[in-house]
Amino acid sequence: MRLTRLCTYEAGFSVIEVLLAATVFALLVTGLVGAFVYGRQSTVNTGDRTRAIQLADEGLQAVRNIRDASYSNVTTGTFGLAQSGGAWTLSGGSDTSGIYTRQVTIAAAGTNRMNVTSTVSWTQASGSTSQVSDTTELTNWAAALRTPSWNTPGLSGSVNATALKVATQGTYAYAVRGTTSSNFSVISTATPSAPTVVSTISITGTPTNIAISGNYAYVSTNNASGELVIVNISNPAVPTVVGTYNAAGSAAGLGVYVVGNYVYLSRAANGGNDELVIINVSNPASPTRVYGFSLNVSMNEVYVNATTIFLATNSSTKEVIALTPVLFGVLYTEVDLNLPTAGTTTTIDGTGSVIFVGQGNTFYTINGSLVGLLMSIYGSVTLPGTINDISYNANGTYVYAGTSYASGEFQVVNVASLTAPSIAGSVDIAGSSSITGVSYNSTQNLVTAVGNSTTQGVADIGPN
């Protein structure tokens, strides 16, 4: 029998195997070290971010604390925060805490509301900058405990668009400018805190006043060939001129009022030739004259009730004129009122037979019932600035006046007592400006005021 011998050989690691093992080991060590280092950095970054979030939240809580002390302390702008006497205050443009810089931005969000954003930024160890923000809305909760009142009016919102006169309807304001181009604008007031210009067109001539009825705006102008311009506003985004009326002579149109299918256009002195003209606008594309009244004095504005036309004039002896009855094609009975002080009566409005006029800085309430063919003064109040325009609140007992008083251009007059009207409140518009047009919006219980402010030329004002 032959025996076969089995032999087993053992060999050492080759160089390649050693290098491969070393490489794997190095990668493993590097991974472990990297994981440790980056994990530690991530922990640091997470901690920094958590601290930043806490500071941002603290910023909101601090502003809330400031609001609770007095809502008037919460003003719009970007601020830092500081503590004084154990209470938070707005201070400077930012504040710092270690590596963190905090800014609190406060913006108006409507009547008695503010949006507050607290932003914290910092530089990481890597040199990159990080930032976190937190936002809340604060309200004047103390005001919410009372019914909003026109005795304390407040600015709801504004848009930078200067204008001369304004009329409102629904959730839109229609404004005209005393310029020859881009002089008719439609403004949405659906969000009073943020009115927006919807459209702007140019109409021929320089507009002087405006009235709204249904789907049409009626604009008086200084154009000697078309003192009345009719604009179709059925689509506020695309207003279009559909008709004009050329009154006799060359005197500018100054005031306009609409009742049904009739427009009452008051004009500057025109040599005794239709300073007031009544126009049938049942066909807006072809308006026609119905009747005219002449006196050779400027008739600045016009108000019409069911039976009588009332005119504000620049006569020194008949500053207010009433024409009755409103029956076309017949002679009118003229009733004049000589105010105590001679001077131009610039603006007029009313409710029924109660008439309101502005002359200089004096606001009058007038009995226009014409008992015994007479008008009489109920009462008056002196406002702090020249009265440019007035608008009656059909839902209450207030008249709103746009004035030239730089510290309170918007004035609210309480006419609950006709014999003793009084100033109820005011609003200061930004800059040393003048409000030249006001219109009360009964749908929104809001007044749109326009003027020459370069930042708040169109302003929504409401009760607080």
Side-chain angles (χ1 to χ4, degrees):
M1 176 182 291
R2 185 178 181 181
L3 297 176
T4 302
R5 186 177 181 181
L6 299 177
C7 297
T8 301
Y9 296 93
E10 292 185 2
F13 291 107
S14 68
V15 174
I16 293 175
E17 289 174 324
V18 171
L19 290 175
L20 180 60
T23 301
V24 171
F25 180 75
L27 290 173
L28 179 62
V29 171
T30 301
L32 291 173
V33 172
F36 175 77
V37 171
Y38 287 113
R40 186 175 182 181
Q41 184 61 52
S42 177
T43 301
V44 171
N45 289 343
T46 300
D48 288 346
R49 184 177 180 82
T50 300
R51 174 58 178 157
I53 291 172
Q54 291 173 341
L55 286 172
D57 181 66
E58 180 187 64
L60 298 183
Q61 298 302 326
V63 178
R64 185 173 283 109
N65 178 267
I66 295 170
R67 182 277 314 270
D68 290 344
S70 176
Y71 187 76
S72 62
N73 292 336
V74 183
T75 58
T76 58
T78 299
F79 307 95
L81 292 164
Q83 288 195 1
S84 177
W88 286 104
T89 61
L90 300 174
S91 176
S94 64
D95 66 271
T96 58
S97 176
I99 64 173
Y100 304 99
T101 298
R102 177 171 56 194
Q103 288 186 314
V104 172
T105 301
I106 303 173
T111 302
N112 288 317
R113 286 178 171 80
M114 294 284 187
N115 281 333
V116 182
T117 301
S118 178
T119 301
V120 176
S121 58
W122 73 100
T123 301
Q124 297 179 353
S126 63
S128 61
T129 300
S130 290
Q131 177 179 289
V132 296
S133 294
D134 201 359
T135 300
T136 191
E137 182 180 85
L138 298 182
T139 63
N140 185 3
W141 56 266
L145 299 177
R146 65 175 187 270
T147 302
S149 171
W150 278 108
N151 292 324
T152 53
L155 179 68
S156 297
S158 63
V159 62
N160 183 10
T162 60
L164 177 67
K165 297 293 182 182
V166 64
T168 56
Q169 181 175 264
T171 57
Y172 290 97
Y174 303 86
V176 293
R177 301 174 62 209
T179 61
T180 56
S181 63
S182 300
N183 49 17
F184 180 95
S185 295
V186 182
I187 299 113
S188 172
T189 61
T191 303
S193 61
T196 57
V197 177
V198 174
S199 57
T200 298
I201 63 171
S202 298
I203 63 176
T204 303
T206 300
T208 57
N209 224 317
I210 183 171
I212 301 292
S213 180
N215 289 328
Y216 297 96
Y218 302 89
V219 181
S220 58
T221 80
N222 70 350
N223 180 12
S225 299
E227 292 85 354
L228 176 69
V229 177
I230 303 173
V231 182
N232 187 325
I233 55 171
S234 56
N235 181 354
V238 189
T240 55
V241 174
V242 294
T244 61
Y245 175 77
N246 181 18
S250 59
L254 299 178
V256 60
Y257 200 91
V258 187
V259 179
N261 289 326
Y262 297 95
V263 169
Y264 299 79
L265 177 69
S266 61
R267 306 171 64 200
N270 192 38
N273 189 2
D274 279 4
E275 280 89 20
L276 169 72
V277 58
I278 302 169
I279 306 163
N280 186 327
V281 292
S282 55
N283 180 358
S286 183
T288 57
R289 179 185 184 277
V290 175
Y291 197 78
F293 175 76
S294 304
L295 200 61
N296 200 26
V297 297
S298 291
M299 299 181 183
N300 301 308
E301 279 194 355
V302 55
Y303 161 73
V304 182
N305 66 18
T307 61
T308 310
I309 303 168
F310 295 91
L311 296 157
T313 82
N314 68 350
S315 168
S316 59
T317 58
K318 47 180 71 176
E319 290 89 351
V320 182
I321 296 174
L323 302 175
T324 186
V326 178
L327 296 175
F328 306 133
V330 301
L331 294 176
Y332 290 95
T333 298
E334 178 186 340
V335 179
D336 303 327
L337 177 63
N338 186 9
L339 296 177
T341 302
T344 297
T345 303
T346 54
T347 181
I348 189 168
D349 201 1
T351 172
S353 61
V354 177
I355 310 303
F356 310 107
V357 300
Q359 181 198 51
N361 64 347
T362 305
F363 173 87
Y364 288 98
T365 55
I366 295 170
N367 181 350
S369 60
L370 305 185
V371 176
L373 293 181
L374 292 173
M375 280 188 287
S376 59
I377 297 172
Y378 281 127
S380 65
V381 61
T382 301
L383 302 190
T386 300
I387 303 169
N388 301 315
D389 197 21
I390 59 175
S391 181
Y392 172 67
N393 179 342
N395 292 335
T397 55
Y398 297 97
V399 175
Y400 310 100
T403 77
S404 60
Y405 180 50
S407 298
E409 296 86 347
F410 180 80
Q411 297 283 319
V412 180
V413 181
N414 189 325
V415 293
S417 170
L418 294 175
T419 58
S422 60
I423 298 174
S426 64
V427 173
D428 183 26
I429 299 299
S432 180
S433 57
S434 178
I435 288 180
T436 52
V438 289
S439 179
Y440 175 71
N441 186 325
S442 59
T443 300
Q444 297 179 282
N445 191 27
L446 182 78
V447 175
T448 297
V450 301
N452 60 6
S453 170
T454 56
T455 57
Q456 296 176 340
V458 177
D460 286 340
I461 298 172
N464 277 331

